[in-house]
Structures are given as structure tokens and as C-alpha cells.
């Protein structure tokens, strides 16, 4: 096993690069951090190709890392450099990004969360985690939604990316495909002319679109949905956080499943 | 009006200090940022004592700042130093922390959210914002819950701290007072022996306790509640983000009010 001691080592620089969008495009790989996520990725049979860890972390987890995964011993200083957190655990994995992860909306079953230009990594990750908990089949990242391979998104997903399906697509394709199959697609609106979410009967299969934090859903998508839903707000708050709103809608719409 | 141009100026140092817990204790004041929050504080007749802003921001908002508020002109460089964001708007206000904000649980009416050792500033702020939107009367910050006067909490509250009542207290006092008044107090649990939240009838007055992100509610409080609720989880997710769980529970329990 190779021991790396310099933060200037070329592998360290590449791993750092794998926490950025540019790095993901260049290498078709991404970096995850912490045993919670690394172990989840291995358990979910993700294409983990390398593990880099401090001696303590290697000792602790060696028997859980498959034999075909390349291992590197790193220093605490390198762990700090690679980490997105203040107190890094000291274990990282490089995972291949597979082109085959694309989901065909003509064949998708169950409930799907569709993200329209969501920006905040914490919101995105939390929505994936909530979709998993609400029994959704998957989440589609629409054009303009932040990458699912950045450290903050990965941390907020808490391993749920390995439990449900994730895809990237033009949401227009999903709306058209679902409507052709007579599966409802719900938009979300702040508009009181939209339908109160409490009046919708839970469905076995549907799409739910959540829109950008500041601007909401695009007008174009809004006009294509089966119906648009709103959550009645009682106090003086102007709106809900998008991940909270998504949670309320997902647990209501999929209520018969949980 | 005093113009301040040095980032080493004593006032700038004090304002910076007012973004920390130590500063809040020493001066009984806190700093807020951005016109959204500064304007909300003025509209809510909060004790705003000073405004510091760049010339552009002072020009834009001068007529909305009351005459008895002391004004300071600052540079972009100082704004950057005071700001918690990457691109500061350039307007800040110093607000007094009033001792009189304490709420007596023997006199509290309506629905109250009780926070038991919640750590993450974003979660805390989002829960206050959601409590406002769900028509709650207020939020009680229990012992061990992060301060409500730090920049990240203030940003996530989005002005809702000026719409509903906030208090700090030992949550044991609230549980005892509500039970003596026969007002239900609901705990939240991951435990499937707890009651499914969907089976609870909405109430006009109640307390809802949300617990620490990692450890959940304290055992002591859990044993004192009227009943403990859980949200059934369908997928492989281990739990929900605490702010999402709080949103689902608040909108269900207070359903008759919205």
C-alpha cells in the first residue's frame, strides 16, 4: 500500500479536484468523505475505486473494504486538506460516475421528486434524504440544479443517494412522459390560486416539482403540470424553506405508502 | 454622521464582537445584516440603536430609518469584515437584547415549539421560520440550544423572529406548566413504540418538542411528555433532518388553524 505524506502529491491534488464540478466533468469520478458515506457506498455496491485514509481509519475499516479497491495511507494534514469539515474523520473514497445511471421517464414507477433549478447544496441533499424516507422511487435533477457530487450535497444526503434512484434530465421530458401515461405531475406554488395540498388524494405514482429558492418553479413548467399545489401559510412568514415545503408535500402525497 | 474608514476602528471591532455569543453576553446587543432583516426589525419596532451602511445603502434606505437611530457611514471593506456572506449588501444594525422577552409558560396560549439542545444554526432558524408559517405562537430555546442572535440563525429565520415570540427557558418548566393546565406536550421520537403522528387530532393549544440532531430528545423530557410521536419512514433512510421533521409535525398538528 502506497503511503502519501506530502499535501503537494499529485494524487492529493486530483482528489481535491474531485470535490469540484470541473473535476467531476474531467475525470468522471467524485470524492466522498467519512465512514458513514464510504461504507454506505460499498454496501450499495457503488463503483468505489480508491480509498485514502489515515492509519487509524485503515485499521478500523480494513476488513470492510473490498479487495479490488486500491488503498492509500494518508496523513492527518492531507485529510484536513481534502475535507469539507472542521474535524475530518480521515477516510475518503473515489467513486466512478456512471453514465448508465440515467432513468427513462417512460419506464419510471412510483413517486418521483423533480428539482427545478434548486441552488443550495444543503436543500438538495436534505430533499434527497427526505424522498428516501417518504418512500419515493427517485429524484431527478433538472437543468440548472446544483451538482449531486459536491461535498455539501453528499453530506446532507446522508447515504440516501445509494437507496433511491437519481437522474439528471430536462424536466420537460418527465412532465410530457408522465402526462402521456396519465400519471399526475404536481407543481408547487406560493400562489393562493393554486390547489391547497391538503385536498389532494395520495397517489401510487406521481411527479412532484420543487422550484428555485428565490424564484420558484419556471413559468413554462408551471403551465405544463397536471395541477399546482400550495401550502397555506398562517403567520406572517413569506414562504417556507424549500426542503421543509418538499417534506410536507412528500409525506402528504405519499401518505398511503407509509 | 460619523464616517468610518478603518477596519481597525473600535466601533467596527465592537460590531464584529456582536456576532458572537461572548459579545451578546457582554453588551446585551446583537448585529443583523441586510435590508430585509434591518427593515423587518424597524417595522417590528425592535430596539434598533445603530445603523452602519455604505453610502449607497444609506441613500437607498435613509427615509426608512427612524430619526433616533444613530447612523454610521462605512466602506465596502468594513462591510466585508462585518458580513457573514460572500457578497454583503452593505447595511447592518445593532439591536438591544431585552431581558423582558421572557415568556411565562403559565400564560402562554396557542401552539409552541420547544427546542431541546438543537445545534445547527440553519436548522434552528428554519424551524423558527416554519413555526411562523404554521401559525405557532412562539418558540422556546431550551438549555443547550444554540443562540438565536448569531448571523447564521438570523439569516435562516428570514424575519420570523419579529413575527412570533421567542423565549429561552428550561423546557422542564414548560412541560410541567402545560401539563398542570391540561395542555398536551408532544415529544418526537424515532422509536416505533411511540405514537404515529398521523393519528393525533390537531389541537388549539399544545407544545411540540424537537430534540438534538444526533441524540434526539433527552430521556428525562421524553418521560415527562403527554405522548411521544414518530413519523413512519418508508425507505432505507435512518431519519429525517430535524427541521423537515418539525415542519411535517407542525403542519399536521396545527392543521385546523391553517
Amino acid at each position: 500500500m502506497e503511503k502519501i505524506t506530502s499535501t503537494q502529491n499529485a494524487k492529493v491534488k486530483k482528489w481535491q479536484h474531485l470535490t469540484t464540478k470541473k473535476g467531476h466533468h474531467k475525470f468522471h469520478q467524485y470524492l466522498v468523505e467519512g465512514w458513514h458515506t464510504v461504507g454506505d457506498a460499498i454496501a450499495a455496491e457503488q463503483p468505489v475505486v480508491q480509498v485514502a485514509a489515515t492509519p487509524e481509519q485503515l485499521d478500523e475499516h480494513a476488513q470492510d473494504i473490498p479487495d479490488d479497491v486500491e488503498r492509500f495511507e494518508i496523513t492527518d494534514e492531507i485529510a484536513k486538506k481534502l475535507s469539507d469539515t472542521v474535524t475530518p474523520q480521515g477516510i475518503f473514497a473515489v467513486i466512478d460516475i456512471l453514465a448508465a445511471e440515467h432513468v427513462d421517464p417512460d419506464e419510471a414507477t412510483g413517486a418521483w421528486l423533480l428539482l427545478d433549478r434548486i441552488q443550495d447544496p444543503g436543500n438538495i441533499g436534505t430533499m434527497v434524504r427526505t424522498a428516501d424516507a417518504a418512500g419515493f422511487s427517485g429524484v431527478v435533477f433538472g437543468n440548472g440544479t446544483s451538482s449531486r457530487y459536491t461535498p455539501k450535497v453528499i453530506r446532507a444526503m446522508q447515504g440516501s443517494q445509494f437507496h433511491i434512484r437519481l437522474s439528471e434530465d430536462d424536466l420537460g421530458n418527465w412532465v410530457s412522459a408522465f402526462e402521456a401515461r396519465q400519471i399526475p405531475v404536481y407543481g408547487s406554488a406560493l400562489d393562493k390560486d393554486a390547489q391547497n395540498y391538503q385536498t389532494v388524494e395520495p397517489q401510487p405514482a406521481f411527479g412532484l416539482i420543487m422550484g428555485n429558492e428565490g424564484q420558484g418553479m419556471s413559468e413554462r413548467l408551471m403551465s405544463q403540470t397536471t395541477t399546482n399545489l400550495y401550502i397555506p401559510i398562517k403567520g406572517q412568514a413569506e414562504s417556507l424553506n424549500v426542503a421543509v415545503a418538499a417534506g410536507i408535500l412528500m409525506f402528504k402525497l405519499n401518505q398511503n405508502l407509509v
Side-chain angles (χ1 to χ4, degrees), chain A:
Chain A
M1 179 170 50
E2 188 178 343
K3 286 187 195 186
I4 302 177
T5 55
S6 163
T7 58
Q8 297 308 309
N9 180 289
K11 288 210 178 63
V12 175
K13 286 186 176 171
K14 183 192 157 186
W15 292 333
Q16 258 198 310
H17 209 36
L18 296 184
T19 64
T20 67
K21 255 193 158 170
K22 273 193 183 170
H24 304 148
H25 281 131
K26 184 165 173 190
F27 295 106
H28 299 282
Q29 293 182 322
Y30 66 106
L31 189 78
V32 300
E33 153 167 26
W35 179 250
H36 186 100
T37 310
V38 175
D40 271 1
I42 291 169
E45 300 185 345
Q46 293 292 305
V48 175
V49 290
Q50 296 177 323
V51 166
T54 58
E56 299 75 29
Q57 287 288 315
L58 282 173
D59 270 359
E60 199 176 333
H61 301 296
Q63 71 288 358
D64 301 314
I65 302 169
D67 290 339
D68 59 348
V69 175
E70 205 179 359
R71 296 163 199 222
F72 298 89
E73 188 182 304
I74 58 171
T75 62
D76 289 342
E77 199 191 356
I78 293 173
K80 240 184 196 150
K81 189 154 183 186
L82 293 176
S83 179
D84 188 51
T85 66
V86 183
T87 50
Q89 247 184 45
I91 187 162
F92 302 84
V94 174
I95 306 179
D96 283 340
I97 295 174
L98 303 179
E101 285 176 10
H102 185 79
V103 178
D104 182 350
D106 286 325
E107 290 168 6
T109 56
W112 286 80
L113 179 67
L114 313 177
L115 305 182
D116 179 28
R117 296 167 301 134
I118 308 282
Q119 295 305 304
D120 181 79
N123 285 340
I124 293 173
T126 300
M127 284 193 275
V128 170
R129 178 180 173 193
T130 309
D132 180 16
F136 273 49
S137 300
V139 179
V140 183
F141 288 56
N143 301 333
T145 291
S146 300
S147 164
R148 57 178 144 144
Y149 299 114
T150 56
K152 284 190 175 57
V153 175
I154 293 171
R155 191 159 63 239
M157 291 195 289
Q158 299 256 324
S160 286
Q161 70 271 37
F162 306 130
H163 306 153
I164 60 175
R165 300 187 71 184
L166 303 186
S167 190
E168 283 165 37
D169 210 338
D170 183 330
L171 298 187
N173 296 341
W174 281 72
V175 177
S176 314
F178 272 30
E179 297 204 329
R181 296 168 64 198
Q182 298 189 300
I183 296 171
V185 178
Y186 305 114
S188 49
L190 273 174
D191 186 355
K192 294 203 174 170
D193 294 335
Q195 187 179 348
N196 184 332
Y197 81 106
Q198 290 164 325
T199 65
V200 179
E201 284 299 310
Q203 301 287 338
F206 63 93
L208 169 66
I209 308 178
M210 299 303 303
N212 176 272
E213 286 90 344
Q215 299 152 34
M217 272 177 63
S218 81
E219 294 286 339
R220 187 179 60 83
L221 277 175
M222 191 91 85
S223 67
Q224 292 169 352
T225 54
T226 315
T227 181
N228 294 314
L229 307 179
Y230 84 100
I231 299 173
I233 285 179
K234 171 85 179 172
Q236 295 177 63
E238 287 160 24
S239 63
L240 288 165
N241 166 279
V242 67
V244 171
I248 293 168
L249 294 174
M250 286 194 271
F251 271 82
K252 172 68 182 174
L253 296 173
N254 218 22
Q255 200 172 38
N256 56 345
L257 300 180
V258 293

